[in-house]
């Protein structure tokens, strides 16, 4: 540079000419035609795991298109559904007077029933029909660039494995959800659609900062004069090698017979040429003054090899390091923002769960309170029923007691009246019939006896009926207060805890019996019978069994007859008894004579001679005969 006498720096004409040539080389195609591009990279999906590469891929392709000399390049990142529609609408306004329109999309995409859709970052896609509302069809993109005059190019790095398809519910079983994207045939001429992987297959993100497909695009698309069809062929070869022949990019659509490069070929140099190294040095100094990635990439595009190329690559590495630092700083900032957002969401979720738990506990408490209320209401109703029943029973007993007392009072009044009448009648007839006072008093006293006896009999029968009802009396109710009735009232006193006089039937005992709703005395059955409800039934044992001492059926034990001491003792007693019985005397026809006279020998006796005894001498001699009886 030279300093002008007026103090201004003047650029030498030679350097100015080089600057004009450089500008013409980079922007020459824009003077002939208008080229616009829309680049979208969606990584931060909200409802599925984030993607690592789309944002970086979008930045890389945006730089490639800038170096290719595009007039307008709109790079957008992490767009929601509404933001994607707005971006396409604004881009459509730019393509109306454009010659070349390019759309590059990196992110998730999917195919439903043969149609391809681009998925925004806020999509949920719970069911297969949600794709029509939450995603953008590929046809919408084709309509946006349809007005471009010479070339319409859509590049889709959206063939990744789609996580939405795994959790999406099918509303119609026959609706197909494909793997990757579906084959498409553009209807507009000069339209190309490039897939990162051919229809029905998925693309790889790779292990580097950019996907294999985006890296290959950046290497081949900006080559000057290279036809797009050949460029995508080179992209296909690179991706196949990088992915071990697992991913094959594919291009749909067709172009004409002329070459269609993304960057025009460099014009051939004419006239005398200066020293190449001088030109390279001047261009290097110019790029160094610009200090931008685009300037250095333009320099390397012009001079890919040599000393200055290595210096330019060092400058690019320096810019790349700065971009990496800025990207890392941006990622750290985004991570911090995401951390704050997640903490807020967790706090909100915790509050929601706490509120839900409180609502659930309140609902359970309400249900428990309602159940407790119902139980208490049932208890109150049962107590009220018992109260009414007790009041009814008490009223009935009171009425019966009053009736009995009234009957007793009427009976007493009647007896008093009859007694007075009888006393008057007795007094009137005493003089006439001359009956003794004792007799008349006896007649007066016996007059009311039939009525009094009838009331006592009814009372005794009523008490016995109640005793029979509560299970204390087994015999029939009678009008007399028998010993069986007294025993039954004794049992009632024992089991009911009362102390009524058992010698007579009383109204108090009758009232107490009526207050008992059921059996008081336990059912006692005789041997060989058992209780069955309120009755005793006979115990029936099967063959070979009999009722034992415990009133249960037991097996009969067979015993052989054995002579016992009791048997021999019984035989000895019978023998002694027979021996002790005297034998019946036999009639002998003998005559016994003594001093008083002669008589036949008594039955059971016999005559024996005693020699010369003094007593019992016979009349005819000196030999004595004595009557001996057993």
């Amino acid at each position: 540079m030279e300093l002008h006498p007026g103090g201004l720096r003047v650029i030498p004409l030679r350097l100015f000419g080089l600057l004009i040539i450089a500008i013409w080389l980079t922007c020459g195609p824009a003077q002939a035609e208008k080229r616009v591009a829309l680049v979208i990279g969606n990584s931060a999906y909200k409802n599925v795991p984030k993607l690592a590469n789309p944002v970086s891929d979008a930045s890389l392709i945006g730089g490639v298109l800038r170096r290719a000399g595009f007039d307008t390049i709109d790079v957008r990142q992490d767009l929601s559904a509404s933001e994607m529609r707005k971006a396409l609408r604004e881009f459509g306004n730019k393509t109306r007077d454009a010659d070349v329109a390019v759309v590059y999309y990196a992110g998730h995409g999917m195919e439903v029933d043969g149609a391809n859709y681009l998925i925004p970052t806020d999509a949920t896609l719970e069911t297969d029909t949600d794709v029509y509302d939450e995603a953008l069809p590929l046809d919408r993109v084709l309509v946006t660039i349809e007005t471009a005059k010479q070339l319409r190019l859509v590049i889709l790095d959206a063939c990744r494995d789609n996580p939405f398809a795994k959790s999406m519910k099918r509303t119609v079983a026959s609706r197909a959800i494909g793997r990757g994207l579906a084959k498409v045939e553009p209807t507009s001429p000069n339209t190309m659609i490039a897939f990162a992987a051919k229809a029905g297959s998925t693309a790889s993100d790779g292990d580097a900062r950019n996907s294999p497909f985006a890296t290959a695009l950046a290497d081949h698309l900006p080559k000057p004069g290279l036809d797009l069809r050949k460029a995508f062929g080179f992209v296909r070869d690179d991706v196949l090698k990088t992915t071990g022949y697992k991913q094959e990019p594919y291009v749909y659509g067709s172009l004409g017979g002329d070459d269609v490069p993304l960057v025009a070929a460099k014009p051939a140099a004419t006239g005398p040429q200066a020293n190449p190294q001088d030109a390279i040095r001047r261009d290097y100094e110019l790029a160094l003054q610009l200090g931008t990635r685009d300037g250095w990439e333009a320099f390397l595009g012009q001079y890919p090899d040599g000393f200055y190329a290595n210096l330019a690559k060092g400058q690019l590495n320096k810019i790349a390091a700065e971009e990496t630092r800025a990207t890392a700083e941006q990622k750290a900032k985004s991570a911090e923002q995401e951390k704050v957002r997640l903490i807020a969401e967790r706090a909100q979720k915790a509050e929601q769960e706490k509120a839900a738990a409180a609502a659930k506990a309140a609902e359970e408490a309400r249900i428990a309170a309602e159940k407790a209320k119902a139980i208490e209401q049932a208890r109150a109703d049962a107590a009220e029923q018992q109260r009414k029943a007790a009041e009814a029973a008490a009223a009935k007993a009171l009425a019966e007691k009053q009736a009995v007392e009234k009957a007793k009072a009427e009976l007493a009044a009647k007896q008093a009246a009859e007694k007075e009448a009888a006393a008057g009648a007795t007094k009137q007839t005493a003089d006439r019939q001359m009956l003794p006072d004792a007799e008349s008093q006896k007649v007066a006293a016996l007059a009311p006896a039939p009525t009094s006896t009838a009331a006592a009999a009814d009372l005794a029968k009523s008490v016995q009926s109640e005793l029979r009802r509560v299970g204390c009396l087994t015999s029939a109710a009678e009008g007399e207060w028998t010993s069986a009735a007294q025993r039954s009232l004794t049992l009632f006193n024992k089991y009911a805890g009362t102390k009524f006089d058992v010698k007579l039937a009383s109204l108090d005992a009758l009232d107490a019996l009526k207050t008992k709703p059921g059996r008081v005395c336990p059912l006692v059955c005789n041997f060989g019978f058992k209780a069955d409800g309120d009755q005793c039934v006979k115990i029936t044992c099967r063959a070979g069994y009999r009722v034992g001492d415990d009133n249960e059926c037991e097996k009969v034990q067979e015993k052989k007859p054995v002579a016992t001491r009791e048997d021999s003792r019984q035989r000895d007693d019978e023998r002694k008894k027979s021996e002790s019985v005297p034998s019946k005397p036999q009639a002998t026809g003998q005559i016994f004579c003594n001093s008083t006279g002669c008589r036949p020998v008594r039955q059971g006796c016999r005559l024996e001679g005693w020699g010369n005894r003094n007593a019992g001498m016979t009349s005819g001699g000196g030999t004595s005969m004595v009557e001996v009886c057993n």
Side-chain angles (χ1 to χ4, degrees), residues 109-111 116-117 156 158-159 179-183 195 198-201:
M110 68 184 304
E111 175 258 323
N116 297 320
Y117 295 88
L156 296 179
C159 305
R179 184 171 179 264
L181 298 179
K183 180 180 179 181
F195 285 1
K198 65 181 180 180
S201 60

Side-chain angles (χ1 to χ4, degrees), residues 534-595:
D534 290 337
Q535 295 181 352
C536 291
V537 296
K538 186 176 181 180
I539 300 174
T540 303
C541 299
R542 59 180 176 174
Y545 286 78
R546 66 181 180 183
V547 180
D549 296 338
D550 56 354
N551 212 33
E552 298 289 340
C553 291
E554 62 180 18
K555 190 174 181 180
V556 177
Q557 299 293 335
E558 295 182 358
K559 296 182 180 180
K560 295 180 180 181
V562 178
T564 62
R565 182 175 297 177
E566 295 293 334
D567 295 337
S568 59
R569 183 179 299 174
Q570 184 177 2
R571 288 195 300 270
D572 293 341
D573 292 341
E574 291 178 354
R575 180 177 55 80
K576 291 179 180 180
K577 184 178 180 180
S578 60
E579 290 177 356
S580 62
V581 176
S583 61
K584 294 181 179 181
Q586 300 293 331
T588 60
Q590 294 177 337
I591 299 298
F592 175 70
C593 295
N594 54 17
S595 59

Side-chain angles (χ1 to χ4, degrees), residues 143-188:
V143 170
T144 301
I145 64 174
E146 191 174 13
T147 56
K149 301 178 181 64
Q150 295 181 9
L151 175 64
R152 292 170 286 275
L153 175 61
V154 178
I155 304 174
L156 296 179
D157 195 358
C159 305
R160 295 170 172 84
D161 190 15
N162 180 17
F164 290 98
K166 299 177 182 178
S167 59
M168 182 183 295
K169 297 179 182 178
R170 307 296 197 272
T171 57
V172 179
S174 60
R175 180 171 289 117
I177 298 176
R179 184 171 179 264
L181 298 179
K183 180 180 179 181
V184 61
E185 293 295 342
T187 58
S188 300

